[in-house]
Amino acid sequence: MKLRRKRVKPIGLKDVTIIDDARLRKAITAASLGNAMEWFDFGVYGFVAYALGQVFFPGADPGTQMIAALATFSVPFLIRPLGGLFFGSLGDKYGRQKILSMTIIIMSVSTFCIGLIPSYNSIGIWAPILLLLCKMAQGFSVGGEYTGASIFVAEYSPDRKRGFMGSWLDFGSIAGFVLGAGLVVLISAVIGEASFLDWGWRIPFFVALPLGIIGLYLRHALEETPAFQQHVDKLEQGDREGLADGPKVSFKEIATKHWKSLLACVGLVIATNVTYYMLLTYMPSYLSHNLHYSEDHGVMIIIAIMLGMLFVQPVMGLMSDKFGRRPFVIIGSIALLTLSIPCFMLINSGVMGLIFAGLLILAVILNSFTGVMASSLPAMFPTHIRYSALASAFNISVLIAGLTPTAAAWLVEATSNLYMPAYYLMVVAVIGLVTGIMMKETANLPLRGATPAASDMAEAKEILQEHHDNIEQKIEDINDQITELEAKRSHLINQHPRINE
């Protein structure tokens, strides 16, 4: 039976999407601000964990208070996969822009409400229960936030600049952390520690509401991404029912057909976020509770480190567009594996300059992951399932990574070994190394299921020529394979007495 070949329309210059710079800047600003909002809360929560422990768990000893407060930080990660499934499905059906507007509303309101919760001394057990409910609402909204924002930026970015543009998303994360931590330090310094424990800790959470309103305004004014709009246009032309029903691919089918991408996504997210939470959420508590530095002292060190990370972050993204994403994942994982113990030796030295050096090395390693994650993850899946698949895999991974502060605090308390966080990071480094080796390189390539995207017409012509050259090379490779197979076929035929050509 002769197979009918489906005719594929050749890709021409008109098929290359030209990205408008003004729209691209607005998209990055809106996505990054929402991500900054998410990490603003993480930063505030990590840096006021000691205060929250005393306010919401006053009957426990200091070590248990710290673990309890950090556990309240970790528990909402159980809800994130549900939020990922919910918002991911909606994002693939209704578009990225609408869902990102929803997530920032829930996130800012739930963060604001934390500042309204009375203390344990006022309402008893209801205080930690209400805190947990607010954190769970945050977890549900955050389940669709980072993945949606990374997809939004990736689908708006030109192929040759996706690494640089995507790096600004985690620039927003770090900036949110700096803002949250800096606000904690400022308020504590102005009103004093006693007043901060009494009522001052609430102020940073109140700031979340105006930040959320600004983010909502910016996101609501944006248009849908070019890649998703192309997907909708195709459905309108060939499958109007499909447009109404949304994606028809179940998670089981995604796991079956895209299992390599799912594993790569899980590995990269675990390596990145465990390092992230260890350095930026757990380390302030480690410095104050375990190494006995004052809270403000430990916070100032971490803030200085994060300010340095802000400068390194876009450089990593820019370099990944030139050298690829995989080298940064592989080199970062090797560095984390070999340097974690030396870094914690420096952190435990008692010498301020050496402490700073140890943290700075870990921060640069973290930058090698965050600099490429937002551009790598969306490129792993095709457009019609990108939000669903990425949100599911991402949040299952973050569920594991979110236990980092609690697990690290418990391990140190249980073993009295101050190097347990280093061992923890070394295990994660192995996961990152395997991921870097197995993942496909996606730098300078179009997103799966999307046409090429360029910054201007000149770049579009270059991309189209490269695309055609790549096709010619693939044809030559196939011809070489055919020649080899024909030679093998002839060799086998010659060995058989009854087969004639």
Side-chain angles (χ1 to χ4, degrees):
M1 183 178 69
K2 189 175 181 180
L3 296 176
R4 293 181 62 188
R5 290 187 301 172
K6 183 179 178 181
R7 182 171 177 80
V8 179
K9 184 181 178 182
I11 295 179
L13 194 59
K14 67 180 184 303
D15 297 309
V16 180
T17 303
I18 306 297
I19 305 296
D20 180 69
D21 283 342
R23 291 174 60 191
L24 176 59
R25 285 194 296 270
K26 289 180 181 178
I28 292 174
T29 302
S32 299
L33 184 60
N35 212 42
M37 174 73 230
E38 172 190 345
W39 287 90
F40 171 83
D41 169 67
F42 287 170
V44 168
Y45 201 92
F47 284 95
V48 302
Y50 74 97
L52 295 179
Q54 297 179 47
V55 172
F56 293 101
F57 310 98
D61 62 81
T64 304
Q65 285 180 350
M66 182 63 64
I67 293 174
L70 291 174
T72 309
F73 169 86
S74 297
V75 167
F77 285 85
L78 297 170
I79 307 298
R80 287 184 65 156
L82 297 178
L85 289 171
F86 178 78
F87 290 115
S89 177
L90 292 179
D92 282 332
K93 182 175 182 180
Y94 297 111
R96 295 34 168 143
Q97 184 265 348
K98 294 181 179 67
I99 303 307
L100 286 175
S101 296
M102 290 173 57
T103 58
I104 199 168
I105 293 173
I106 299 172
M107 193 161 51
S108 58
V109 171
S110 57
T111 303
F112 176 80
C113 287
I114 292 177
L116 299 176
I117 302 173
S119 67
Y120 186 94
N121 293 331
S122 299
I123 61 173
I125 192 64
W126 282 106
I129 290 175
L130 290 173
L131 174 64
L132 184 59
L133 290 174
C134 287
K135 294 299 293 179
M136 290 173 73
Q138 285 180 337
F140 188 76
S141 64
V142 169
E145 171 60 35
Y146 182 85
T147 51
S150 64
I151 290 170
F152 199 78
V153 172
E155 291 183 347
Y156 252 113
S157 299
D159 296 337
R160 293 183 176 180
K161 297 180 180 178
R162 188 166 292 116
F164 179 63
M165 298 305 174
S167 68
W168 290 101
L169 192 62
D170 282 289
F171 181 95
S173 303
I174 302 167
F177 235 107
V178 171
L179 178 60
L183 196 57
V184 170
V185 173
L186 179 62
I187 294 170
S188 181
V190 171
I191 67 177
E193 186 171 350
S195 296
F196 186 81
L197 288 173
D198 185 30
W199 56 269
W201 64 269
R202 301 177 184 276
I203 298 176
F205 293 105
F206 290 153
V207 173
L209 191 59
L211 286 178
I213 293 172
I214 295 172
L216 177 62
Y217 171 77
L218 291 174
R219 289 183 174 185
H220 186 69
L222 286 172
E223 298 178 18
E224 190 51 77
T225 67
F228 185 80
Q229 192 58 52
Q230 288 173 11
H231 172 60
V232 171
D233 291 343
K234 289 179 181 178
L235 288 178
E236 286 180 338
Q237 292 173 7
D239 184 8
R240 293 184 180 275
E241 291 184 3
L243 180 63
D245 296 338
K248 298 178 180 179
V249 183
S250 67
F251 182 75
K252 181 180 179 180
E253 290 180 87
I254 293 172
T256 302
K257 296 180 180 179
H258 303 278
W259 62 272
K260 289 184 179 179
S261 295
L262 286 174
L263 287 178
C265 175
V266 168
L268 181 55
V269 174
I270 287 177
T272 303
N273 282 277
V274 167
T275 310
Y276 216 136
Y277 294 137
M278 186 71 77
L279 180 62
L280 301 183
T281 301
Y282 174 66
M283 285 311 297
S285 302
Y286 181 84
L287 292 172
S288 60
H289 178 68
N290 297 108
L291 302 186
H292 310 295
Y293 292 97
S294 68
E295 284 81 4
D296 288 349
H297 205 167
V299 167
M300 290 304 296
I301 295 174
I302 299 297
I303 289 177
I305 293 296
M306 288 189 290
L307 287 172
M309 289 179 67
L310 286 175
F311 291 98
V312 177
Q313 177 69 15
V315 174
M316 291 290 191
L318 183 64
M319 291 174 63
S320 77
D321 283 328
K322 184 175 182 180
F323 301 108
R325 325 289 190 222
R326 294 179 67 241
F328 288 89
V329 177
I330 294 172
I331 293 172
S333 299
I334 293 173
L336 191 63
L337 181 63
T338 57
L339 298 178
S340 288
I341 290 179
C343 284
F344 271 83
M345 291 175 66
L346 294 173
I347 293 169
N348 284 273
S349 66
V351 179
M352 189 54 59
L354 296 180
I355 294 172
F356 187 84
L359 292 171
L360 184 61
I361 293 171
L362 289 176
V364 174
I365 294 173
L366 176 57
N367 273 131
S368 70
F369 295 132
T370 59
V372 303
M373 187 167 72
S375 55
S376 297
L377 297 181
M380 294 180 182
F381 302 99
T383 304
H384 69 290
I385 61 166
R386 183 169 293 135
Y387 209 147
S388 301
L390 188 54
S392 301
F394 183 91
N395 288 293
I396 291 172
S397 312
V398 169
L399 173 62
I400 299 171
L403 299 173
T404 298
T406 307
W410 179 81
L411 287 170
V412 172
E413 290 289 326
T415 64
S416 299
N417 186 341
L418 294 175
Y419 287 88
M420 291 306 295
Y423 303 143
Y424 200 105
L425 290 174
M426 291 173 70
V427 173
V428 169
V430 175
I431 296 174
L433 182 58
V434 173
T435 301
I437 293 172
M438 69 173 285
M439 66 186 286
K440 293 182 179 179
E441 184 56 71
T442 58
N444 300 313
L445 297 175
L447 293 173
R448 294 177 64 178
T451 58
S455 300
D456 51 42
M457 186 57 67
E459 186 176 287
K461 293 178 180 178
E462 292 178 8
I463 289 176
L464 188 62
Q465 184 60 50
E466 289 177 1
H467 177 71
H468 290 159
D469 291 343
N470 186 43
I471 290 176
E472 291 174 7
Q473 183 60 51
K474 286 182 177 179
I475 292 173
E476 290 180 10
D477 292 341
I478 291 172
N479 287 335
D480 292 339
Q481 292 175 16
I482 291 174
T483 301
E484 291 179 8
L485 289 172
E486 287 179 342
K488 289 180 179 179
R489 178 177 180 273
S490 297
H491 179 69
L492 292 172
I493 287 174
N494 291 334
Q495 297 180 51
H496 198 288
R498 293 187 302 274
I499 297 180
N500 296 317
E501 296 197 55

